[in-house]
Amino acid sequence: MPDTIFDQILSGQIPSYTVYEDEQVYAFLDIHPLSPGHTLVIPRERRAFLHELSDESAAAIGRVLPRICRAVLAATGAEHYNVLQNNGAPAHQAVFHVHFHVIPRIGDAGLGIGWPARRLEAAEAEPLLGAIRAALD
Ligand code: AMP
């Protein structure tokens, strides 16, 4: 995996606004926030995509993510927020090191989402279920 700007943040080569850190996880303020308190939570493990992450890093993030969300809400006064995690350039990923965005909704400020949903039909669901369950084994 090529170096990303988050490697430079993790190594201290470039500064960041540290929100939280432990042995496996680092969290810092997004430099281009969608709303006040917009925070990025990343593993120290160098992986581009969520599905590449070790169980240990995933568990470490899962353990601390709700606590970071609570802190961001308490600090900003926001009641609502989104957690966003992009994988791949077509899915809006710009930095290829796994990261979770914690984005408070404060008035009109926050995450804008397109959600072009349609109804799931059984003819589509059943083969998909079979394929996904088989891949989980
Ligand atoms: P994504 O589109 O999910 O890859 O988001 C990458 C995020 O990283 C963007 O929201 C950027 O604003 C943020 N970002 C990029 N460089 C920095 C930096 N040096 N410090 C803090 N956040 C950054």
Side-chain angles (χ1 to χ4, degrees), residues 5-6 9 14-17 28-34 38 40 84-88 91-97 99-101:
I5 194 152
F6 292 175
I9 287 177
I14 65 168
S16 60
Y17 295 101
F28 54 106
L29 293 180
D30 194 302
I31 205 70
H32 295 121
L34 290 175
H38 183 166
L40 299 175
L84 175 70
Q85 203 281 313
N86 299 325
N87 294 277
H92 304 290
Q93 186 177 13
V95 178
F96 290 89
H97 181 125
H99 53 281
F100 290 77
H101 296 258

PDB file of all heavy atoms in Angstrom, residues 5-6 9 14-17 28-34 38 40 84-88 91-97 99-101, ligand 1:
ATOM      1  N   ILE A   5      -1.279  10.497   3.387  1.00  0.00           N
ATOM      2  CA  ILE A   5      -1.087  11.618   4.314  1.00  0.00           C
ATOM      3  C   ILE A   5      -1.356  11.176   5.756  1.00  0.00           C
ATOM      4  O   ILE A   5      -0.799  11.735   6.699  1.00  0.00           O
ATOM      5  CB  ILE A   5      -1.967  12.820   3.891  1.00  0.00           C
ATOM      6  CG1 ILE A   5      -1.512  14.072   4.629  1.00  0.00           C
ATOM      7  CG2 ILE A   5      -3.436  12.549   4.109  1.00  0.00           C
ATOM      8  CD1 ILE A   5      -1.772  15.334   3.900  1.00  0.00           C
ATOM      9  N   PHE A   6      -2.172  10.130   5.930  1.00  0.00           N
ATOM     10  CA  PHE A   6      -2.450   9.669   7.302  1.00  0.00           C
ATOM     11  C   PHE A   6      -1.226   8.973   7.905  1.00  0.00           C
ATOM     12  O   PHE A   6      -1.057   8.975   9.120  1.00  0.00           O
ATOM     13  CB  PHE A   6      -3.682   8.761   7.341  1.00  0.00           C
ATOM     14  CG  PHE A   6      -4.983   9.476   7.046  1.00  0.00           C
ATOM     15  CD1 PHE A   6      -6.171   8.765   6.948  1.00  0.00           C
ATOM     16  CD2 PHE A   6      -5.029  10.862   6.879  1.00  0.00           C
ATOM     17  CE1 PHE A   6      -7.369   9.421   6.682  1.00  0.00           C
ATOM     18  CE2 PHE A   6      -6.222  11.525   6.604  1.00  0.00           C
ATOM     19  CZ  PHE A   6      -7.399  10.793   6.505  1.00  0.00           C
ATOM     20  N   ILE A   9       0.620  11.755   9.361  1.00  0.00           N
ATOM     21  CA  ILE A   9      -0.044  12.193  10.598  1.00  0.00           C
ATOM     22  C   ILE A   9       0.300  11.225  11.730  1.00  0.00           C
ATOM     23  O   ILE A   9       0.682  11.634  12.829  1.00  0.00           O
ATOM     24  CB  ILE A   9      -1.570  12.311  10.376  1.00  0.00           C
ATOM     25  CG1 ILE A   9      -1.858  13.553   9.524  1.00  0.00           C
ATOM     26  CG2 ILE A   9      -2.321  12.362  11.701  1.00  0.00           C
ATOM     27  CD1 ILE A   9      -3.310  13.752   9.158  1.00  0.00           C
ATOM     28  N   ILE A  14       3.479  15.401   9.978  1.00  0.00           N
ATOM     29  CA  ILE A  14       2.649  16.601   9.801  1.00  0.00           C
ATOM     30  C   ILE A  14       1.677  16.684  10.973  1.00  0.00           C
ATOM     31  O   ILE A  14       1.279  15.655  11.534  1.00  0.00           O
ATOM     32  CB  ILE A  14       1.919  16.643   8.440  1.00  0.00           C
ATOM     33  CG1 ILE A  14       0.912  15.510   8.326  1.00  0.00           C
ATOM     34  CG2 ILE A  14       2.879  16.622   7.276  1.00  0.00           C
ATOM     35  CD1 ILE A  14      -0.002  15.709   7.144  1.00  0.00           C
ATOM     36  N   PRO A  15       1.326  17.898  11.372  1.00  0.00           N
ATOM     37  CA  PRO A  15       0.512  18.051  12.578  1.00  0.00           C
ATOM     38  C   PRO A  15      -0.947  17.678  12.357  1.00  0.00           C
ATOM     39  O   PRO A  15      -1.442  17.684  11.223  1.00  0.00           O
ATOM     40  CB  PRO A  15       0.637  19.546  12.891  1.00  0.00           C
ATOM     41  CG  PRO A  15       0.955  20.186  11.587  1.00  0.00           C
ATOM     42  CD  PRO A  15       1.682  19.176  10.753  1.00  0.00           C
ATOM     43  N   SER A  16      -1.604  17.341  13.447  1.00  0.00           N
ATOM     44  CA  SER A  16      -3.052  17.101  13.397  1.00  0.00           C
ATOM     45  C   SER A  16      -3.618  17.481  14.755  1.00  0.00           C
ATOM     46  O   SER A  16      -2.880  17.595  15.735  1.00  0.00           O
ATOM     47  CB  SER A  16      -3.348  15.639  13.075  1.00  0.00           C
ATOM     48  OG  SER A  16      -2.781  14.802  14.068  1.00  0.00           O
ATOM     49  N   TYR A  17      -4.926  17.668  14.786  1.00  0.00           N
ATOM     50  CA  TYR A  17      -5.608  18.009  16.023  1.00  0.00           C
ATOM     51  C   TYR A  17      -6.077  16.714  16.669  1.00  0.00           C
ATOM     52  O   TYR A  17      -7.141  16.191  16.350  1.00  0.00           O
ATOM     53  CB  TYR A  17      -6.794  18.935  15.738  1.00  0.00           C
ATOM     54  CG  TYR A  17      -6.392  20.291  15.200  1.00  0.00           C
ATOM     55  CD1 TYR A  17      -6.493  20.570  13.838  1.00  0.00           C
ATOM     56  CD2 TYR A  17      -5.907  21.282  16.058  1.00  0.00           C
ATOM     57  CE1 TYR A  17      -6.134  21.818  13.345  1.00  0.00           C
ATOM     58  CE2 TYR A  17      -5.537  22.535  15.568  1.00  0.00           C
ATOM     59  CZ  TYR A  17      -5.656  22.790  14.213  1.00  0.00           C
ATOM     60  OH  TYR A  17      -5.298  24.031  13.719  1.00  0.00           O
ATOM     61  N   PHE A  28      -8.627  12.287  15.028  1.00  0.00           N
ATOM     62  CA  PHE A  28      -8.209  13.686  14.884  1.00  0.00           C
ATOM     63  C   PHE A  28      -9.275  14.451  14.114  1.00  0.00           C
ATOM     64  O   PHE A  28     -10.116  13.854  13.425  1.00  0.00           O
ATOM     65  CB  PHE A  28      -6.848  13.761  14.162  1.00  0.00           C
ATOM     66  CG  PHE A  28      -6.796  13.052  12.830  1.00  0.00           C
ATOM     67  CD1 PHE A  28      -6.797  13.765  11.639  1.00  0.00           C
ATOM     68  CD2 PHE A  28      -6.749  11.662  12.766  1.00  0.00           C
ATOM     69  CE1 PHE A  28      -6.747  13.115  10.407  1.00  0.00           C
ATOM     70  CE2 PHE A  28      -6.705  10.998  11.531  1.00  0.00           C
ATOM     71  CZ  PHE A  28      -6.706  11.726  10.371  1.00  0.00           C
ATOM     72  N   LEU A  29      -9.223  15.778  14.241  1.00  0.00           N
ATOM     73  CA  LEU A  29     -10.219  16.607  13.554  1.00  0.00           C
ATOM     74  C   LEU A  29      -9.938  16.616  12.059  1.00  0.00           C
ATOM     75  O   LEU A  29      -8.779  16.760  11.631  1.00  0.00           O
ATOM     76  CB  LEU A  29     -10.179  18.035  14.090  1.00  0.00           C
ATOM     77  CG  LEU A  29     -10.615  18.232  15.547  1.00  0.00           C
ATOM     78  CD1 LEU A  29     -10.509  19.719  15.914  1.00  0.00           C
ATOM     79  CD2 LEU A  29     -12.042  17.732  15.771  1.00  0.00           C
ATOM     80  N   ASP A  30     -11.018  16.469  11.272  1.00  0.00           N
ATOM     81  CA  ASP A  30     -10.897  16.586   9.810  1.00  0.00           C
ATOM     82  C   ASP A  30     -10.538  18.028   9.461  1.00  0.00           C
ATOM     83  O   ASP A  30     -11.123  18.978   9.993  1.00  0.00           O
ATOM     84  CB  ASP A  30     -12.223  16.170   9.145  1.00  0.00           C
ATOM     85  CG  ASP A  30     -12.060  15.955   7.650  1.00  0.00           C
ATOM     86  OD1 ASP A  30     -11.644  16.897   6.941  1.00  0.00           O
ATOM     87  OD2 ASP A  30     -12.364  14.849   7.179  1.00  0.00           O
ATOM     88  N   ILE A  31      -9.559  18.172   8.573  1.00  0.00           N
ATOM     89  CA  ILE A  31      -9.055  19.508   8.223  1.00  0.00           C
ATOM     90  C   ILE A  31     -10.046  20.278   7.333  1.00  0.00           C
ATOM     91  O   ILE A  31      -9.971  21.504   7.230  1.00  0.00           O
ATOM     92  CB  ILE A  31      -7.656  19.400   7.556  1.00  0.00           C
ATOM     93  CG1 ILE A  31      -6.861  20.685   7.727  1.00  0.00           C
ATOM     94  CG2 ILE A  31      -7.751  18.991   6.105  1.00  0.00           C
ATOM     95  CD1 ILE A  31      -6.406  20.958   9.112  1.00  0.00           C
ATOM     96  N   HIS A  32     -10.976  19.567   6.705  1.00  0.00           N
ATOM     97  CA  HIS A  32     -12.039  20.213   5.919  1.00  0.00           C
ATOM     98  C   HIS A  32     -13.398  19.728   6.443  1.00  0.00           C
ATOM     99  O   HIS A  32     -14.083  18.928   5.784  1.00  0.00           O
ATOM    100  CB  HIS A  32     -11.901  19.886   4.421  1.00  0.00           C
ATOM    101  CG  HIS A  32     -10.660  20.420   3.788  1.00  0.00           C
ATOM    102  ND1 HIS A  32      -9.721  19.629   3.167  1.00  0.00           N
ATOM    103  CD2 HIS A  32     -10.194  21.697   3.698  1.00  0.00           C
ATOM    104  CE1 HIS A  32      -8.729  20.389   2.717  1.00  0.00           C
ATOM    105  NE2 HIS A  32      -8.989  21.639   3.027  1.00  0.00           N
ATOM    106  N   PRO A  33     -13.781  20.203   7.616  1.00  0.00           N
ATOM    107  CA  PRO A  33     -14.984  19.650   8.256  1.00  0.00           C
ATOM    108  C   PRO A  33     -16.273  19.996   7.519  1.00  0.00           C
ATOM    109  O   PRO A  33     -16.420  21.095   6.986  1.00  0.00           O
ATOM    110  CB  PRO A  33     -14.965  20.297   9.647  1.00  0.00           C
ATOM    111  CG  PRO A  33     -14.164  21.544   9.483  1.00  0.00           C
ATOM    112  CD  PRO A  33     -13.141  21.261   8.419  1.00  0.00           C
ATOM    113  N   LEU A  34     -17.186  19.030   7.509  1.00  0.00           N
ATOM    114  CA  LEU A  34     -18.535  19.291   7.003  1.00  0.00           C
ATOM    115  C   LEU A  34     -19.362  20.019   8.046  1.00  0.00           C
ATOM    116  O   LEU A  34     -20.358  20.669   7.715  1.00  0.00           O
ATOM    117  CB  LEU A  34     -19.227  17.966   6.629  1.00  0.00           C
ATOM    118  CG  LEU A  34     -18.681  17.256   5.399  1.00  0.00           C
ATOM    119  CD1 LEU A  34     -19.368  15.903   5.215  1.00  0.00           C
ATOM    120  CD2 LEU A  34     -18.875  18.116   4.153  1.00  0.00           C
ATOM    121  N   HIS A  38     -16.326  17.542  13.182  1.00  0.00           N
ATOM    122  CA  HIS A  38     -16.096  16.457  12.211  1.00  0.00           C
ATOM    123  C   HIS A  38     -14.745  15.799  12.529  1.00  0.00           C
ATOM    124  O   HIS A  38     -13.694  16.433  12.453  1.00  0.00           O
ATOM    125  CB  HIS A  38     -16.118  17.048  10.798  1.00  0.00           C
ATOM    126  CG  HIS A  38     -15.957  16.058   9.691  1.00  0.00           C
ATOM    127  ND1 HIS A  38     -16.242  16.376   8.384  1.00  0.00           N
ATOM    128  CD2 HIS A  38     -15.540  14.759   9.648  1.00  0.00           C
ATOM    129  CE1 HIS A  38     -16.017  15.337   7.603  1.00  0.00           C
ATOM    130  NE2 HIS A  38     -15.570  14.345   8.347  1.00  0.00           N
ATOM    131  N   LEU A  40     -12.094  12.250  12.377  1.00  0.00           N
ATOM    132  CA  LEU A  40     -11.704  11.025  11.669  1.00  0.00           C
ATOM    133  C   LEU A  40     -11.113  10.043  12.672  1.00  0.00           C
ATOM    134  O   LEU A  40     -10.279  10.418  13.496  1.00  0.00           O
ATOM    135  CB  LEU A  40     -10.673  11.338  10.580  1.00  0.00           C
ATOM    136  CG  LEU A  40     -11.133  12.288   9.485  1.00  0.00           C
ATOM    137  CD1 LEU A  40      -9.968  12.614   8.542  1.00  0.00           C
ATOM    138  CD2 LEU A  40     -12.295  11.698   8.695  1.00  0.00           C
ATOM    139  N   LEU A  84     -19.511   7.759   8.664  1.00  0.00           N
ATOM    140  CA  LEU A  84     -19.334   7.447   7.238  1.00  0.00           C
ATOM    141  C   LEU A  84     -17.989   6.779   7.044  1.00  0.00           C
ATOM    142  O   LEU A  84     -16.992   7.188   7.635  1.00  0.00           O
ATOM    143  CB  LEU A  84     -19.381   8.751   6.431  1.00  0.00           C
ATOM    144  CG  LEU A  84     -19.101   8.623   4.928  1.00  0.00           C
ATOM    145  CD1 LEU A  84     -20.246   7.909   4.222  1.00  0.00           C
ATOM    146  CD2 LEU A  84     -18.887  10.016   4.322  1.00  0.00           C
ATOM    147  N   GLN A  85     -17.963   5.765   6.197  1.00  0.00           N
ATOM    148  CA  GLN A  85     -16.699   5.057   5.947  1.00  0.00           C
ATOM    149  C   GLN A  85     -16.671   4.695   4.468  1.00  0.00           C
ATOM    150  O   GLN A  85     -17.418   3.837   4.014  1.00  0.00           O
ATOM    151  CB  GLN A  85     -16.657   3.806   6.868  1.00  0.00           C
ATOM    152  CG  GLN A  85     -15.266   3.289   7.159  1.00  0.00           C
ATOM    153  CD  GLN A  85     -14.718   2.479   6.001  1.00  0.00           C
ATOM    154  OE1 GLN A  85     -15.418   1.624   5.476  1.00  0.00           O
ATOM    155  NE2 GLN A  85     -13.489   2.744   5.607  1.00  0.00           N
ATOM    156  N   ASN A  86     -15.809   5.372   3.710  1.00  0.00           N
ATOM    157  CA  ASN A  86     -15.769   5.208   2.253  1.00  0.00           C
ATOM    158  C   ASN A  86     -14.683   4.216   1.845  1.00  0.00           C
ATOM    159  O   ASN A  86     -13.586   4.235   2.412  1.00  0.00           O
ATOM    160  CB  ASN A  86     -15.475   6.554   1.592  1.00  0.00           C
ATOM    161  CG  ASN A  86     -16.532   7.599   1.890  1.00  0.00           C
ATOM    162  OD1 ASN A  86     -17.710   7.277   2.005  1.00  0.00           O
ATOM    163  ND2 ASN A  86     -16.127   8.853   2.021  1.00  0.00           N
ATOM    164  N   ASN A  87     -14.984   3.400   0.848  1.00  0.00           N
ATOM    165  CA  ASN A  87     -14.007   2.432   0.332  1.00  0.00           C
ATOM    166  C   ASN A  87     -13.963   2.513  -1.182  1.00  0.00           C
ATOM    167  O   ASN A  87     -14.906   2.088  -1.865  1.00  0.00           O
ATOM    168  CB  ASN A  87     -14.392   1.009   0.773  1.00  0.00           C
ATOM    169  CG  ASN A  87     -14.294   0.850   2.265  1.00  0.00           C
ATOM    170  OD1 ASN A  87     -13.220   0.597   2.803  1.00  0.00           O
ATOM    171  ND2 ASN A  87     -15.403   1.023   2.956  1.00  0.00           N
ATOM    172  N   GLY A  88     -12.860   3.039  -1.729  1.00  0.00           N
ATOM    173  CA  GLY A  88     -12.696   3.117  -3.175  1.00  0.00           C
ATOM    174  C   GLY A  88     -13.053   4.491  -3.703  1.00  0.00           C
ATOM    175  O   GLY A  88     -13.990   5.128  -3.211  1.00  0.00           O
ATOM    176  N   ALA A  91     -16.512   5.336  -4.549  1.00  0.00           N
ATOM    177  CA  ALA A  91     -17.324   5.465  -3.334  1.00  0.00           C
ATOM    178  C   ALA A  91     -16.831   6.643  -2.485  1.00  0.00           C
ATOM    179  O   ALA A  91     -17.022   6.670  -1.264  1.00  0.00           O
ATOM    180  CB  ALA A  91     -17.294   4.165  -2.535  1.00  0.00           C
ATOM    181  N   HIS A  92     -16.180   7.602  -3.143  1.00  0.00           N
ATOM    182  CA  HIS A  92     -15.796   8.886  -2.526  1.00  0.00           C
ATOM    183  C   HIS A  92     -14.624   8.793  -1.569  1.00  0.00           C
ATOM    184  O   HIS A  92     -14.447   9.682  -0.733  1.00  0.00           O
ATOM    185  CB  HIS A  92     -16.998   9.551  -1.825  1.00  0.00           C
ATOM    186  CG  HIS A  92     -18.174   9.760  -2.730  1.00  0.00           C
ATOM    187  ND1 HIS A  92     -18.164  10.684  -3.741  1.00  0.00           N
ATOM    188  CD2 HIS A  92     -19.362   9.122  -2.812  1.00  0.00           C
ATOM    189  CE1 HIS A  92     -19.307  10.619  -4.401  1.00  0.00           C
ATOM    190  NE2 HIS A  92     -20.045   9.668  -3.854  1.00  0.00           N
ATOM    191  N   GLN A  93     -13.819   7.733  -1.669  1.00  0.00           N
ATOM    192  CA  GLN A  93     -12.625   7.673  -0.819  1.00  0.00           C
ATOM    193  C   GLN A  93     -11.505   8.470  -1.487  1.00  0.00           C
ATOM    194  O   GLN A  93     -11.192   8.258  -2.659  1.00  0.00           O
ATOM    195  CB  GLN A  93     -12.172   6.223  -0.606  1.00  0.00           C
ATOM    196  CG  GLN A  93     -11.020   6.103   0.386  1.00  0.00           C
ATOM    197  CD  GLN A  93     -10.619   4.654   0.646  1.00  0.00           C
ATOM    198  OE1 GLN A  93     -11.035   3.742  -0.079  1.00  0.00           O
ATOM    199  NE2 GLN A  93      -9.828   4.438   1.676  1.00  0.00           N
ATOM    200  N   ALA A  94     -10.908   9.379  -0.750  1.00  0.00           N
ATOM    201  CA  ALA A  94      -9.800  10.198  -1.270  1.00  0.00           C
ATOM    202  C   ALA A  94      -8.469   9.807  -0.627  1.00  0.00           C
ATOM    203  O   ALA A  94      -7.431   9.917  -1.265  1.00  0.00           O
ATOM    204  CB  ALA A  94     -10.084  11.680  -1.024  1.00  0.00           C
ATOM    205  N   VAL A  95      -8.509   9.370   0.631  1.00  0.00           N
ATOM    206  CA  VAL A  95      -7.288   8.973   1.333  1.00  0.00           C
ATOM    207  C   VAL A  95      -7.364   7.459   1.556  1.00  0.00           C
ATOM    208  O   VAL A  95      -8.292   6.970   2.219  1.00  0.00           O
ATOM    209  CB  VAL A  95      -7.143   9.714   2.680  1.00  0.00           C
ATOM    210  CG1 VAL A  95      -5.883   9.237   3.399  1.00  0.00           C
ATOM    211  CG2 VAL A  95      -7.097  11.224   2.468  1.00  0.00           C
ATOM    212  N   PHE A  96      -6.372   6.737   1.021  1.00  0.00           N
ATOM    213  CA  PHE A  96      -6.463   5.275   0.997  1.00  0.00           C
ATOM    214  C   PHE A  96      -5.800   4.651   2.224  1.00  0.00           C
ATOM    215  O   PHE A  96      -4.889   3.841   2.136  1.00  0.00           O
ATOM    216  CB  PHE A  96      -5.927   4.752  -0.341  1.00  0.00           C
ATOM    217  CG  PHE A  96      -6.869   5.122  -1.455  1.00  0.00           C
ATOM    218  CD1 PHE A  96      -6.734   6.322  -2.129  1.00  0.00           C
ATOM    219  CD2 PHE A  96      -7.960   4.315  -1.743  1.00  0.00           C
ATOM    220  CE1 PHE A  96      -7.646   6.692  -3.103  1.00  0.00           C
ATOM    221  CE2 PHE A  96      -8.878   4.680  -2.722  1.00  0.00           C
ATOM    222  CZ  PHE A  96      -8.715   5.876  -3.407  1.00  0.00           C
ATOM    223  N   HIS A  97      -6.317   5.064   3.359  1.00  0.00           N
ATOM    224  CA  HIS A  97      -6.025   4.484   4.676  1.00  0.00           C
ATOM    225  C   HIS A  97      -7.382   4.480   5.377  1.00  0.00           C
ATOM    226  O   HIS A  97      -8.042   5.532   5.456  1.00  0.00           O
ATOM    227  CB  HIS A  97      -5.002   5.358   5.415  1.00  0.00           C
ATOM    228  CG  HIS A  97      -4.612   4.839   6.768  1.00  0.00           C
ATOM    229  ND1 HIS A  97      -3.297   4.606   7.125  1.00  0.00           N
ATOM    230  CD2 HIS A  97      -5.351   4.502   7.853  1.00  0.00           C
ATOM    231  CE1 HIS A  97      -3.248   4.137   8.365  1.00  0.00           C
ATOM    232  NE2 HIS A  97      -4.486   4.083   8.833  1.00  0.00           N
ATOM    233  N   HIS A  99     -10.599   4.914   7.310  1.00  0.00           N
ATOM    234  CA  HIS A  99     -11.000   5.948   8.264  1.00  0.00           C
ATOM    235  C   HIS A  99     -12.517   6.013   8.372  1.00  0.00           C
ATOM    236  O   HIS A  99     -13.231   5.789   7.404  1.00  0.00           O
ATOM    237  CB  HIS A  99     -10.431   7.317   7.897  1.00  0.00           C
ATOM    238  CG  HIS A  99     -10.714   7.743   6.494  1.00  0.00           C
ATOM    239  ND1 HIS A  99     -10.012   7.288   5.411  1.00  0.00           N
ATOM    240  CD2 HIS A  99     -11.655   8.590   5.996  1.00  0.00           C
ATOM    241  CE1 HIS A  99     -10.482   7.839   4.303  1.00  0.00           C
ATOM    242  NE2 HIS A  99     -11.491   8.619   4.630  1.00  0.00           N
ATOM    243  N   PHE A 100     -12.954   6.305   9.584  1.00  0.00           N
ATOM    244  CA  PHE A 100     -14.367   6.519   9.869  1.00  0.00           C
ATOM    245  C   PHE A 100     -14.560   8.016  10.124  1.00  0.00           C
ATOM    246  O   PHE A 100     -13.892   8.586  10.980  1.00  0.00           O
ATOM    247  CB  PHE A 100     -14.806   5.743  11.121  1.00  0.00           C
ATOM    248  CG  PHE A 100     -14.841   4.258  10.917  1.00  0.00           C
ATOM    249  CD1 PHE A 100     -13.667   3.514  10.917  1.00  0.00           C
ATOM    250  CD2 PHE A 100     -16.048   3.602  10.730  1.00  0.00           C
ATOM    251  CE1 PHE A 100     -13.692   2.144  10.721  1.00  0.00           C
ATOM    252  CE2 PHE A 100     -16.088   2.227  10.534  1.00  0.00           C
ATOM    253  CZ  PHE A 100     -14.911   1.503  10.524  1.00  0.00           C
ATOM    254  N   HIS A 101     -15.494   8.620   9.382  1.00  0.00           N
ATOM    255  CA  HIS A 101     -15.868  10.011   9.644  1.00  0.00           C
ATOM    256  C   HIS A 101     -16.967  10.009  10.722  1.00  0.00           C
ATOM    257  O   HIS A 101     -17.949   9.265  10.596  1.00  0.00           O
ATOM    258  CB  HIS A 101     -16.500  10.653   8.414  1.00  0.00           C
ATOM    259  CG  HIS A 101     -15.613  10.779   7.214  1.00  0.00           C
ATOM    260  ND1 HIS A 101     -15.019  11.966   6.859  1.00  0.00           N
ATOM    261  CD2 HIS A 101     -15.250   9.878   6.262  1.00  0.00           C
ATOM    262  CE1 HIS A 101     -14.329  11.796   5.737  1.00  0.00           C
ATOM    263  NE2 HIS A 101     -14.451  10.537   5.354  1.00  0.00           N
TER     264      HIS A 101
HETATM  265  P1  AMP B   1     -12.464  10.332   2.265  1.00  0.00           P
HETATM  266  O1  AMP B   1     -13.092  11.075   1.131  1.00  0.00           O
HETATM  267  O2  AMP B   1     -13.437   9.460   2.999  1.00  0.00           O
HETATM  268  O3  AMP B   1     -11.204   9.592   1.849  1.00  0.00           O
HETATM  269  O4  AMP B   1     -12.052  11.459   3.311  1.00  0.00           O
HETATM  270  C1  AMP B   1     -10.748  11.884   3.551  1.00  0.00           C
HETATM  271  C2  AMP B   1     -10.827  12.999   4.571  1.00  0.00           C
HETATM  272  O5  AMP B   1      -9.513  13.281   5.037  1.00  0.00           O
HETATM  273  C3  AMP B   1     -11.401  14.309   4.023  1.00  0.00           C
HETATM  274  O6  AMP B   1     -12.582  14.656   4.750  1.00  0.00           O
HETATM  275  C4  AMP B   1     -10.279  15.312   4.241  1.00  0.00           C
HETATM  276  O7  AMP B   1     -10.723  16.577   4.613  1.00  0.00           O
HETATM  277  C5  AMP B   1      -9.468  14.642   5.347  1.00  0.00           C
HETATM  278  N1  AMP B   1      -8.083  15.040   5.390  1.00  0.00           N
HETATM  279  C6  AMP B   1      -7.189  15.018   4.365  1.00  0.00           C
HETATM  280  N2  AMP B   1      -5.993  15.456   4.785  1.00  0.00           N
HETATM  281  C7  AMP B   1      -6.129  15.755   6.108  1.00  0.00           C
HETATM  282  C8  AMP B   1      -5.245  16.264   7.111  1.00  0.00           C
HETATM  283  N3  AMP B   1      -3.978  16.571   6.840  1.00  0.00           N
HETATM  284  N4  AMP B   1      -5.722  16.445   8.361  1.00  0.00           N
HETATM  285  C9  AMP B   1      -7.003  16.145   8.631  1.00  0.00           C
HETATM  286  N5  AMP B   1      -7.891  15.664   7.740  1.00  0.00           N
HETATM  287  C10 AMP B   1      -7.453  15.481   6.488  1.00  0.00           C
END
